[in-house]
Every structure is written in structure tokens, then in C-alpha cells.
Amino acid sequence: RYVLHTRNFWGTIMKKINKSNEVLKHLKRYGQIDTWTAINKFRATRLSSIIYNLRKKGYDIESKWKGTSDGARFVKYILIKE
């Protein structure tokens, strides 16, 4: 895990985990990720922004729209082989 140490308002050292790196590691390991997984595993609430930045860095990530039985829709992001 990539951890950056920062100090909060009171001077206490805090650990800040780079969510982009966590999402990228997940994509490399499992091949795909969706918003619900990103929120639950990494507390990453802006997955589309993370994916956008990873694409700008050269990663080939495909978006696939999926649906549930109750009509909800979501995007699953798939890492294409490097």
C-alpha cells in the first residue's frame, strides 16, 4: 500500500492512502471494478474520476454498462491487458 503521512490541524500524523493506486492494484489483480466495490474496499466515492486519470496515464480501461433485476444501472470498469 502506498501511504503518505500528513499532519492534521492539531499536528497529529495521519496516514493518507492513495486511492488511485489502490484501484489500479485491484484492477491488475481482479481485472475489473465497479463503484460499489471501490466505495466498500477503498472508500473511493469518485471512481469515474480515478478511472479518467488512469486512462490519461495510458491504462486501457473499458467501460461496460450493467443492469440489475430491479432496473438499476451501473458501470463496470475492465482493465484491458497491458
Side-chain angles (χ1 to χ4, degrees), residues 6-14:
T6 60
R7 292 190 181 271
N8 67 9
F9 178 76
W10 299 277
T12 306
I13 294 177
M14 306 287 291

Side-chain angles (χ1 to χ4, degrees), residues 8-70:
N8 67 9
F9 178 76
W10 299 277
T12 306
I13 294 177
M14 306 287 291
K15 290 182 183 177
K16 181 178 179 184
I17 297 171
N18 185 317
K19 294 175 184 178
S20 293
N21 286 345
E22 293 295 312
V23 168
L24 181 58
K25 283 195 313 189
H26 182 90
L27 282 169
K28 286 180 175 181
R29 182 171 184 183
Y30 299 104
Q32 62 188 19
I33 195 168
D34 57 48
T35 303
W36 190 245
T37 303
I39 290 170
N40 285 323
K41 288 187 103 173
F42 315 118
R43 297 180 55 114
T45 57
R46 299 192 61 221
L47 181 60
S48 61
S49 176
I50 292 171
I51 296 298
Y52 174 81
N53 289 327
L54 289 173
R55 286 175 174 155
K56 278 181 35 177
K57 290 180 180 179
Y59 292 98
D60 189 9
I61 301 171
E62 185 178 302
S63 301
K64 291 259 188 184
W65 281 96
K66 299 288 184 179
T68 63
S69 59
D70 63 354

